[in-house]
Amino acid sequence: MKQIAFAFILLVASTAANGGECPAAPDHSADVLDVISQIQQAESEQAARVLSSRLWEYWADAPDESAQEVLDRGMTRLRAADLLGAIEDFDSLVAYCPFYAEGYNQRAFANYLRQDFEAALPDLDKAIELSPNHVAAISGRALTLLGLNRIEEARETLNAALELNPWLSERHLLAPGGPLEPAGQDI
């Protein structure tokens, strides 16, 4: 509880210092497109995985120090399976930085892990709206739609993610016998 109060104080102080608004997130769109291009040309899944980790460096680069601290703490809570604590942090981050895609993406991931797919989906949609090439949010949306048993939408969304990164581990979901196997392939 003390950490939550501290995070709130940090956000309030930062908000006051910034005139009440979160600064714009760093624009890494050109870098993201460059890495996606390299992933598409990768010759192995391992090479693509190394490149994908670079994408996370861009996506997790928060707009300011206060936002970074809340994002990092929320992600630490996620790794520790403190999903409700992580959601509280991401709620604070989204409230402070409503134009920063990763706040929505991480909150969606926490809700996905809780199997609250209905709560995850709007956050994934917002993350993708803010960051259209956010491969993780797009593939997360596909998994969330699968969790909601919206199979055709999940298949289409996963195919969109695979256009950006053909090496995603989720690609096996489209394989024969997989839950997103294309219609008519099971005969």
Side-chain angles (χ1 to χ4, degrees):
M1 191 61 148
K2 289 180 183 178
Q3 288 180 341
I4 295 169
F6 180 69
F8 181 74
I9 291 168
L10 277 177
L11 284 176
V12 170
S14 177
T15 301
N18 291 320
E21 293 184 26
C22 175
D27 182 7
H28 295 298
S29 55
D31 297 317
V32 167
L33 286 175
D34 181 53
V35 172
I36 287 172
S37 177
Q38 291 176 49
I39 289 170
Q40 292 168 338
Q41 296 172 26
E43 294 186 17
S44 70
E45 185 172 358
Q46 181 60 32
R49 192 174 298 141
V50 170
L51 290 165
S52 292
S53 68
R54 288 184 32 210
L55 290 174
W56 282 108
E57 292 173 21
Y58 298 130
W59 294 328
D61 187 12
D64 66 14
E65 193 174 312
S66 296
Q68 189 70 57
E69 193 170 311
V70 175
L71 174 67
D72 292 346
R73 185 178 52 250
M75 292 174 73
T76 297
R77 286 178 163 183
L78 268 179
R79 287 188 294 274
D82 177 7
L83 301 179
L84 294 177
I87 289 169
E88 288 177 4
D89 283 333
F90 301 136
D91 284 345
S92 296
L93 180 57
V94 165
Y96 174 56
C97 296
F99 301 107
Y100 176 51
E102 199 56 32
Y104 295 98
N105 185 55
Q106 290 299 320
R107 185 168 67 183
F109 184 50
N111 279 311
Y112 176 85
L113 292 174
R114 294 179 61 232
Q115 297 187 353
D116 187 350
F117 306 123
E118 292 289 343
L121 192 57
D123 278 344
L124 290 164
D125 289 341
K126 186 65 175 181
I128 294 164
E129 175 189 324
L130 294 169
S131 183
N133 293 316
H134 199 308
V135 180
I138 298 168
S139 63
R141 185 176 192 278
L143 293 172
T144 299
L145 289 165
L146 178 60
L148 291 168
N149 205 31
R150 291 165 56 179
I151 303 303
E152 186 57 37
E153 288 176 87
R155 185 181 302 121
E156 290 173 12
T157 303
L158 183 55
N159 279 319
L162 289 169
E163 286 181 26
L164 296 171
N165 181 352
W167 295 100
L168 288 174
S169 61
E170 293 86 357
R171 70 186 185 276
H172 73 278
L173 298 171
L174 292 166
L180 298 179
E181 175 183 20
Q185 298 290 316
D186 57 346
I187 298 175

